[in-house]
mmCIF file with all atom_site columns, all heavy atoms in Angstrom:
data_model
loop_
_atom_site.group_PDB
_atom_site.id
_atom_site.type_symbol
_atom_site.label_atom_id
_atom_site.label_alt_id
_atom_site.label_comp_id
_atom_site.label_asym_id
_atom_site.label_entity_id
_atom_site.label_seq_id
_atom_site.pdbx_PDB_ins_code
_atom_site.Cartn_x
_atom_site.Cartn_y
_atom_site.Cartn_z
_atom_site.occupancy
_atom_site.B_iso_or_equiv
_atom_site.pdbx_formal_charge
_atom_site.auth_seq_id
_atom_site.auth_comp_id
_atom_site.auth_asym_id
_atom_site.auth_atom_id
_atom_site.pdbx_PDB_model_num
ATOM 1  N N   . ALA A 1 693 ? 112.806 106.758 108.312 1.00 0.00 ? 693 ALA A N   1
ATOM 2  C CA  . ALA A 1 693 ? 112.486 107.092 109.673 1.00 0.00 ? 693 ALA A CA  1
ATOM 3  C C   . ALA A 1 693 ? 112.982 106.075 110.649 1.00 0.00 ? 693 ALA A C   1
ATOM 4  O O   . ALA A 1 693 ? 113.005 106.294 111.830 1.00 0.00 ? 693 ALA A O   1
ATOM 5  C CB  . ALA A 1 693 ? 110.980 107.262 109.791 1.00 0.00 ? 693 ALA A CB  1
ATOM 6  N N   . CYS A 1 694 ? 113.413 104.900 110.163 1.00 0.00 ? 694 CYS A N   1
ATOM 7  C CA  . CYS A 1 694 ? 113.964 103.842 110.998 1.00 0.00 ? 694 CYS A CA  1
ATOM 8  C C   . CYS A 1 694 ? 115.344 103.428 110.484 1.00 0.00 ? 694 CYS A C   1
ATOM 9  O O   . CYS A 1 694 ? 115.596 103.569 109.270 1.00 0.00 ? 694 CYS A O   1
ATOM 10 C CB  . CYS A 1 694 ? 113.076 102.594 110.994 1.00 0.00 ? 694 CYS A CB  1
ATOM 11 S SG  . CYS A 1 694 ? 111.518 102.806 111.899 1.00 0.00 ? 694 CYS A SG  1
ATOM 12 N N   . GLY A 1 695 ? 116.158 102.957 111.373 1.00 0.00 ? 695 GLY A N   1
ATOM 13 C CA  . GLY A 1 695 ? 117.447 102.384 110.948 1.00 0.00 ? 695 GLY A CA  1
ATOM 14 C C   . GLY A 1 695 ? 117.228 101.003 110.436 1.00 0.00 ? 695 GLY A C   1
ATOM 15 O O   . GLY A 1 695 ? 116.101 100.441 110.389 1.00 0.00 ? 695 GLY A O   1
ATOM 16 N N   . ALA A 1 696 ? 118.308 100.326 109.979 1.00 0.00 ? 696 ALA A N   1
ATOM 17 C CA  . ALA A 1 696 ? 118.271 98.986  109.454 1.00 0.00 ? 696 ALA A CA  1
ATOM 18 C C   . ALA A 1 696 ? 117.760 98.033  110.550 1.00 0.00 ? 696 ALA A C   1
ATOM 19 O O   . ALA A 1 696 ? 117.959 98.246  111.717 1.00 0.00 ? 696 ALA A O   1
ATOM 20 C CB  . ALA A 1 696 ? 119.687 98.607  109.035 1.00 0.00 ? 696 ALA A CB  1
ATOM 21 N N   . PRO A 1 697 ? 116.949 97.021  110.173 1.00 0.00 ? 697 PRO A N   1
ATOM 22 C CA  . PRO A 1 697 ? 116.658 96.604  108.786 1.00 0.00 ? 697 PRO A CA  1
ATOM 23 C C   . PRO A 1 697 ? 115.483 97.335  108.175 1.00 0.00 ? 697 PRO A C   1
ATOM 24 O O   . PRO A 1 697 ? 115.186 97.128  107.002 1.00 0.00 ? 697 PRO A O   1
ATOM 25 C CB  . PRO A 1 697 ? 116.333 95.102  108.927 1.00 0.00 ? 697 PRO A CB  1
ATOM 26 C CG  . PRO A 1 697 ? 115.766 95.042  110.305 1.00 0.00 ? 697 PRO A CG  1
ATOM 27 C CD  . PRO A 1 697 ? 116.498 96.057  111.143 1.00 0.00 ? 697 PRO A CD  1
ATOM 28 N N   . ASN A 1 698 ? 114.747 98.143  108.961 1.00 0.00 ? 698 ASN A N   1
ATOM 29 C CA  . ASN A 1 698 ? 113.683 99.050  108.405 1.00 0.00 ? 698 ASN A CA  1
ATOM 30 C C   . ASN A 1 698 ? 112.666 98.234  107.595 1.00 0.00 ? 698 ASN A C   1
ATOM 31 O O   . ASN A 1 698 ? 112.245 98.569  106.493 1.00 0.00 ? 698 ASN A O   1
ATOM 32 C CB  . ASN A 1 698 ? 114.300 100.132 107.476 1.00 0.00 ? 698 ASN A CB  1
ATOM 33 C CG  . ASN A 1 698 ? 113.291 101.210 107.196 1.00 0.00 ? 698 ASN A CG  1
ATOM 34 O OD1 . ASN A 1 698 ? 112.363 101.480 107.971 1.00 0.00 ? 698 ASN A OD1 1
ATOM 35 N ND2 . ASN A 1 698 ? 113.480 101.882 106.041 1.00 0.00 ? 698 ASN A ND2 1
ATOM 36 N N   . THR A 1 699 ? 112.135 97.165  108.190 1.00 0.00 ? 699 THR A N   1
ATOM 37 C CA  . THR A 1 699 ? 111.127 96.375  107.495 1.00 0.00 ? 699 THR A CA  1
ATOM 38 C C   . THR A 1 699 ? 109.763 96.963  107.829 1.00 0.00 ? 699 THR A C   1
ATOM 39 O O   . THR A 1 699 ? 109.508 97.481  108.921 1.00 0.00 ? 699 THR A O   1
ATOM 40 C CB  . THR A 1 699 ? 111.152 94.925  107.931 1.00 0.00 ? 699 THR A CB  1
ATOM 41 O OG1 . THR A 1 699 ? 111.089 94.844  109.372 1.00 0.00 ? 699 THR A OG1 1
ATOM 42 C CG2 . THR A 1 699 ? 112.502 94.306  107.479 1.00 0.00 ? 699 THR A CG2 1
ATOM 43 N N   . TYR A 1 700 ? 108.837 96.817  106.896 1.00 0.00 ? 700 TYR A N   1
ATOM 44 C CA  . TYR A 1 700 ? 107.529 97.473  106.968 1.00 0.00 ? 700 TYR A CA  1
ATOM 45 C C   . TYR A 1 700 ? 106.782 96.977  108.223 1.00 0.00 ? 700 TYR A C   1
ATOM 46 O O   . TYR A 1 700 ? 106.622 95.747  108.469 1.00 0.00 ? 700 TYR A O   1
ATOM 47 C CB  . TYR A 1 700 ? 106.698 97.124  105.748 1.00 0.00 ? 700 TYR A CB  1
ATOM 48 C CG  . TYR A 1 700 ? 105.335 97.811  105.724 1.00 0.00 ? 700 TYR A CG  1
ATOM 49 C CD1 . TYR A 1 700 ? 105.184 99.083  105.214 1.00 0.00 ? 700 TYR A CD1 1
ATOM 50 C CD2 . TYR A 1 700 ? 104.232 97.189  106.253 1.00 0.00 ? 700 TYR A CD2 1
ATOM 51 C CE1 . TYR A 1 700 ? 103.949 99.683  105.132 1.00 0.00 ? 700 TYR A CE1 1
ATOM 52 C CE2 . TYR A 1 700 ? 102.978 97.771  106.226 1.00 0.00 ? 700 TYR A CE2 1
ATOM 53 C CZ  . TYR A 1 700 ? 102.816 99.025  105.668 1.00 0.00 ? 700 TYR A CZ  1
ATOM 54 O OH  . TYR A 1 700 ? 101.590 99.623  105.654 1.00 0.00 ? 700 TYR A OH  1
ATOM 55 N N   . GLY A 1 701 ? 106.294 97.890  109.052 1.00 0.00 ? 701 GLY A N   1
ATOM 56 C CA  . GLY A 1 701 ? 105.508 97.547  110.192 1.00 0.00 ? 701 GLY A CA  1
ATOM 57 C C   . GLY A 1 701 ? 106.280 97.111  111.433 1.00 0.00 ? 701 GLY A C   1
ATOM 58 O O   . GLY A 1 701 ? 105.705 96.813  112.464 1.00 0.00 ? 701 GLY A O   1
ATOM 59 N N   . SER A 1 702 ? 107.606 97.042  111.344 1.00 0.00 ? 702 SER A N   1
ATOM 60 C CA  . SER A 1 702 ? 108.426 96.583  112.499 1.00 0.00 ? 702 SER A CA  1
ATOM 61 C C   . SER A 1 702 ? 108.511 97.703  113.523 1.00 0.00 ? 702 SER A C   1
ATOM 62 O O   . SER A 1 702 ? 108.355 98.891  113.231 1.00 0.00 ? 702 SER A O   1
ATOM 63 C CB  . SER A 1 702 ? 109.794 96.171  112.036 1.00 0.00 ? 702 SER A CB  1
ATOM 64 O OG  . SER A 1 702 ? 110.537 97.219  111.408 1.00 0.00 ? 702 SER A OG  1
#
Side-chain angles (χ1 to χ4, degrees):
C694 289
N698 194 27
T699 56
Y700 184 89
S702 61

